[in-house]
């Protein structure tokens, strides 16, 4: 993950500013083959970095190369990279298959029909491929966009929040697909603002906070550092008090605050354990759960904590 | 380039509101000419009738309005819905993207205007191949120039601003300035269009004699406008931050 010549993606001293607003400040990193997570809270500068990596905008300062080549004003590089932007815009007049076929035609593939079929199958969109994309769910839109991004079998994939809007089953399929691609030697950079998503996907992470690279390297080492700070999870349930009394006995739970609106806020340093424990306790005691959500503010505070260190 | 051209055609023709406005605008001169003809209009070709239909309605108003609606949408819509990145992140030169979009604008706009113009000509008793060809060629040339201008306009600013500035341009530059100042006609797409009609058939369009510039000056103007604004679009697409 250090900046060196062997990285497939190389970012060196990159800054990006819009007028007086600094979106990214002097960021340097390298991305090797495999899956790398670009993690950070909303507004951390992840999308700005990915935009520059995709050649959609140029850095105000610094250099970016992908597979050893500059990206901006270098259209030939797109034969080797696939990009899935954050927004889920699609051409509403096209079917899913036509959208992928459109991408394939622009790559000038030798056997486009085979490539289209493979990409659609890999994304799990065979059954919906002939429907207009205008009628797709968010998860389907994500999957057909992934199919279009990888129809030309690129060496490097840049995916901005690819798991956003997918349901748990689709998320698992997505993750397995990306792992399979990574096993084939590809370089995959995946951004997310949700720690748990990246935890299950990437071995190495780049952590961005407030436009700066706060940490980079092995996920577990950074996770251990993150775990020193507590997370907050909000749980909504009509029987919040009963659930709270059960949870407070668990050693993973630091504290529980029952709010007046039928919800409670749990503070924990072991988020994934607590997220698994809550449904099992609720099932045991016949408690109905309405919602479980990690508080984004809490994540941001964790990211900030890493920066302060 | 063919795939982008075909997709752009579908996008431009697929916008129902835009297509409705375009068809209404294109049909308006025909309806007006038809009503004029039905309620005691002239028998046989009449200079005043032709002057009104082409010189007051079709060329100064309908032609730029339809070209503006289509031209500003070519890139403007893709920037608004953020699909432009699907084109720019492909191994295709920016020039091919601009050219495909521009050709789609011309391919959608041109036929509507030509059908409208030829229909008005028939209602004005301007039958025959020569006047129809003159009208078709001139309106196509006007579409070529306006199409390039408004395609660029859709790239440099938001579509709403482009439409607002476009209307001001049509009224102030094409309408007022080139009507009052003879020299301005050398920079007016409307004057180039009329000049081509007159230059290709000066018998049928003799009523434009006082307002036209030379045929070659008009052809040169159209060529310069097309090359200039396609070039500016290319520069813009290369330099812009794609949303």
């Amino acid at each position: 993950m250090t900046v060196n010549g062997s990285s497939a993606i190389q970012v060196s001293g990159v800054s990006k500013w819009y007028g007086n607003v600094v979106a990214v400040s002097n960021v340097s990193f390298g991305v090797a083959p495999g899956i790398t997570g670009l993690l950070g809270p909303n507004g951390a500068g992840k999308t700005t970095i990915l935009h520059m990596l995709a050649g959609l905008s140029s850095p105000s300062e610094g250099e970016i190369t992908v597979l050893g080549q500059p990206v901006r004003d270098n259209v030939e590089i797109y034969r080797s990279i696939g990009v899935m932007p954050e927004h889920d815009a699609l051409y509403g007049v096209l079917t899913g298959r036509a959208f992928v076929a459109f991408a394939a035609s622009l790559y000038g593939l030798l056997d486009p029909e085979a490539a289209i079929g493979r990409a659609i199958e890999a994304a799990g969109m065979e059954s919906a491929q002939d429907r207009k994309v205008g009628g797709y769910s968010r998860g389907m839109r994500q999957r057909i966009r992934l199919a279009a991004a990888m129809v030309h079998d690129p060496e490097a994939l840049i995916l901005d929040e690819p798991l956003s809007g997918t349901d748990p089953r689709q998320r698992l399929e997505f993750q397995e697909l990306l792992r399979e691609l990574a096993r084939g030697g590809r370089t995959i950079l995946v951004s997310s603002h949700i720690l748990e998503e990246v935890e299950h996907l990437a071995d190495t992470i780049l952590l961005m906070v407030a436009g700066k690279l706060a940490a980079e390297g092995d996920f577990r080492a950074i996770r251990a550092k993150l775990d020193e700070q507590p997370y907050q999870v909000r749980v909504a349930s009509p029987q919040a008090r009963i659930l709270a009394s059960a949870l407070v006995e668990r050693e993973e739970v630091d504290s529980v605050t029952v709010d007046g609106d039928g919800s409670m806020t749990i503070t924990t340093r072991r988020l994934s354990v607590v997220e698994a424990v809550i449904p099992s306790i609720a099932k045991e005691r016949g408690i109905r759960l309405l919602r479980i959500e990690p508080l984004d503010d809490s994540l941001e505070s964790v990211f900030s904590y890493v920066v302060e260190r | 380039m063919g795939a982008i051209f075909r997709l752009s055609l579908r996008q431009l023709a697929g916008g129902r509101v835009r297509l409705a406005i375009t068809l209404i605008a294109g049909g308006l001169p025909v309806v007006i000419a038809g009503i004029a003809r039905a309620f005691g209009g002239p028998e046989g070709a009449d200079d005043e009738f032709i002057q009104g239909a082409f010189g007051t309605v079709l060329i100064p108003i309908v032609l730029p309005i339809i070209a503006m609606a289509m031209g500003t949408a070519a890139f403007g819509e893709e920037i608004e819905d953020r699909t432009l990145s699907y084109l720019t992140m492909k191994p295709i030169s920016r020039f091919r993207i601009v050219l495909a979009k521009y050709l789609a604008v011309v391919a959608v706009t041109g036929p509507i205007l030509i059908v409208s113009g030829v229909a008005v000509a028939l209602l004005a008793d301007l039958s025959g191949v020569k006047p129809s060809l003159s009208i078709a060629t001139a309106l196509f040339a006007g579409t070529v120039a306006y199409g390039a201008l408004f395609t660029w306009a859709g790239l440099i600013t938001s579509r709403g601003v482009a439409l607002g500035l476009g209307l001001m341009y049509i009224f102030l530059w094409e309408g007022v300035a080139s009507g009052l100042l003879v020299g301005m006609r050398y920079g007016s797409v409307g004057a180039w269009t009329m000049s081509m009609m007159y230059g290709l058939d000066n018998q049928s369009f003799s009523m434009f004699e006082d307002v036209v510039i030379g045929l070659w000056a008009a052809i040169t103007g159209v060529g310069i406008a097309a090359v200039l604004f396609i070039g500016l679009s290319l520069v813009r697409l290369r330099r812009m931050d794609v949303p």
Side-chain angles (χ1 to χ4, degrees), chain A residues 56 72 87 89 93 145, chain B residues 10 81-82 86 239-240 242:
Chain A
L56 296 174
R72 186 76 168 168
H87 57 77
V93 294
R145 289 190 321 116
Chain B
R10 288 183 70 174
D81 65 18
R82 306 181 77 181
Y86 293 130
R239 293 187 179 169
M240 70 187 288
V242 177

Side-chain angles (χ1 to χ4, degrees), chain A residues 16 18 51 54 56-57 72-73 75 78-79 83 85 87 89-91 93-94 99 102-103 105-107 145, chain B residues 3-4 7 10-11 78 81-83 85-94 238-243:
Chain A
K16 178 75 177 178
Y18 302 94
H51 255 72
L56 296 174
S57 64
R72 186 76 168 168
D73 292 331
V75 294
Y78 295 112
R79 294 192 192 283
V83 183
H87 57 77
L90 289 165
Y91 297 113
V93 294
L94 300 181
F99 178 69
F102 176 67
S105 71
L106 299 185
Y107 287 118
R145 289 190 321 116
Chain B
I4 300 177
L7 177 70
R10 288 183 70 174
Q11 288 173 312
E78 295 233 26
D81 65 18
R82 306 181 77 181
T83 51
S85 60
Y86 293 130
L87 303 183
T88 60
M89 294 189 302
K90 297 291 186 299
I92 295 173
S93 72
R94 299 290 189 265
R238 276 187 179 150
R239 293 187 179 169
M240 70 187 288
D241 282 1
V242 177

Side-chain angles (χ1 to χ4, degrees), chain B residues 45-67:
Chain B
D46 177 85
D47 285 0
E48 202 178 328
F49 187 87
I50 295 166
Q51 168 76 48
F54 287 99
T56 309
V57 180
L58 195 64
I59 293 173
I61 298 172
V62 174
L63 164 61
I65 293 281
I66 293 178

